[in-house]
Amino acid sequence: MNGADQIERTGGAGGRVEGTGDTGRELGGFLRARRGRVAPEHVGLAGGRRRRVRGLRREELAQLAGISVDYYVRLEQGRATQPSAEVLDALAGALGLDTAERRHLATLAAARRDPAPRAQAGPALRRILDALAPLPAFATNHRLDVVAWNRPGAALLGGMDEPGRRDGNNARYLFLDPAGRALQPEWEDRAAEVVGQLRVAAGRYPDDAELAALIAELSAHSPEFRRIWATGEVLMCTAGRKRLRHPEVGLLTLDFETLHVPAAPGETGLVVHVYSAEEGSPEAAALARLAAADRGPGPAATDRATGLAATGRATGPAARRPVASGAEDAPPTDVGGLDPQ
């Protein structure tokens, strides 16, 4: 039984998906997924077709990390808790984990059960988003609910300020709405980012029922989500360049930055996403056209406490959920009063 099959068996529309809820099982599942991605030849071990295990065997990883096989087996099975920093560092080195993956491993090993943050988009943040126009900007929480945006951001996202046009959660929109797929010419990369961010959030907030329900819903209705989730992918989207295929202005290649707005000490709060283009470029002209389009009064911003946008449409779990298609770490940049993550 492969990882995707196990997600389908244990998750479903109403159950928990492996990788959510139980931090001990999450740690074991993450380690299994990551050792399955390491080619033996890349770490000086013999490979070949006769191997019955994809990636590294348990005993091979234990040897590479310099720990006993028995202890590693107990760790992967969730019977050993709170491994030392030295053990985690050795495992991370043997698995070739990057900064985001090391941080996620440490979070799972600590077995903390932090309450999910209830960060809201206050008036100050809304003013900042409005002042960023004509640059498209929007804010998301750890569940990838879009909780606030400016007018260009609403247009870039595919009609956030038009009631009933799209789901208020970026993960649902990407995996379950054909329009979300059409917007992303590099869909596989964007899908990996979304899954990686949800996995980080699930590890940090294992008791978040809304997040667990979202992951179970996506697992039940999207085979592609199940496939990517089974890889144990951990990705943090901070800054770079993305391509979008917008229905009004065509193909765009835009730079983006992410800014972290803390909710409280130790909480992830909100993340502000800002898109831009080089001055004088075709993309800059396209963004100017989006910003100048008449889309109704003022910037729309939502409040997670009420789940209603300025337009009056519901967001998050209360939003309209389209039928599934085919149903089938450098820290962010600091800008004016926003703290880098």
Side-chain angles (χ1 to χ4, degrees):
M1 179 172 63
N2 63 32
D5 292 334
Q6 178 149 349
I7 288 178
E8 190 167 13
R9 180 177 66 83
T10 61
R16 280 193 178 272
V17 175
E18 183 179 19
T20 65
D22 186 328
T23 53
R25 291 185 60 187
E26 290 174 55
L27 176 60
F30 182 67
L31 289 171
R32 282 193 299 275
R34 302 318 289 187
R35 69 178 171 87
R37 295 179 59 170
V38 179
E41 299 86 350
H42 292 169
V43 291
L45 299 175
R49 295 183 178 180
R50 294 189 177 183
R51 292 180 65 92
R52 297 166 57 187
V53 176
R54 181 172 59 91
L56 296 177
R57 300 185 180 97
R58 288 172 173 171
E59 59 269 24
E60 290 171 338
L61 177 54
Q63 180 182 1
L64 290 171
I67 61 178
S68 74
V69 176
D70 177 69
Y71 178 73
Y72 177 77
V73 170
R74 289 188 289 115
L75 194 63
E76 197 172 277
Q77 293 177 344
R79 295 186 291 115
T81 60
Q82 297 183 324
S84 67
E86 291 76 15
V87 167
L88 294 178
D89 186 63
L91 287 170
L95 292 170
L97 302 187
D98 62 22
T99 301
E101 292 163 341
R102 284 172 177 265
R103 189 177 301 169
H104 182 62
L105 179 65
T107 298
L108 296 179
R112 292 177 54 184
R113 308 194 76 86
D114 295 334
R118 294 292 175 182
Q120 300 178 14
L125 178 57
R126 300 182 193 194
R127 288 194 299 270
I128 291 172
L129 291 174
D130 192 23
L132 287 171
L135 298 182
F138 58 92
T140 58
N141 62 16
H142 66 288
R143 290 183 289 267
L144 304 185
D145 296 316
V146 184
V147 299
W149 56 84
N150 61 14
R151 185 180 298 173
L156 189 67
L157 285 173
M160 274 302 300
D161 55 356
E162 299 177 39
R165 180 169 172 181
R166 60 152 287 178
D167 196 280
N169 180 274
N170 274 347
R172 282 198 198 94
Y173 184 58
L174 185 68
F175 281 98
L176 304 184
D177 191 332
R181 181 183 292 270
L183 185 65
Q184 301 288 349
E186 298 168 334
W187 187 89
E188 192 73 24
D189 291 340
R190 302 292 80 78
E193 288 174 1
V194 164
V195 173
Q197 290 173 67
L198 289 179
R199 181 175 287 279
V200 169
R204 190 163 190 178
Y205 305 113
D207 295 326
D208 186 342
E210 287 185 54
L211 177 60
L214 171 65
I215 294 171
E217 177 190 354
L218 294 171
S219 299
H221 296 295
S222 172
E224 290 158 317
F225 181 90
R226 292 197 300 270
R227 172 179 58 81
I228 300 172
W229 184 270
T231 66
E233 197 70 73
V234 175
L235 291 174
M236 295 304 296
C237 184
T238 55
R241 181 165 290 184
K242 291 183 180 179
R243 298 172 71 228
L244 300 171
R245 184 179 291 111
H246 197 275
E248 297 178 28
V249 295
L251 188 64
L252 300 171
T253 301
L254 301 175
D255 298 316
F256 72 94
E257 296 281 347
T258 56
L259 316 169
H260 182 62
V261 184
E267 293 187 355
T268 55
L270 301 176
V271 176
V272 174
H273 311 257
V274 185
Y275 288 80
S276 66
E278 186 176 353
E279 186 175 357
S281 67
E283 282 81 2
L287 291 183
R289 292 198 300 273
L290 282 178
D294 184 10
R295 302 179 186 277
T302 62
D303 186 337
R304 284 291 297 174
T306 62
L308 295 176
T311 59
R313 73 177 292 276
T315 62
R320 179 179 69 87
R321 298 178 184 177
V323 177
S325 172
E328 4 180 359
D329 103 295
T333 306
D334 183 16
V335 172
L338 301 181
D339 295 330
Q341 186 170 10

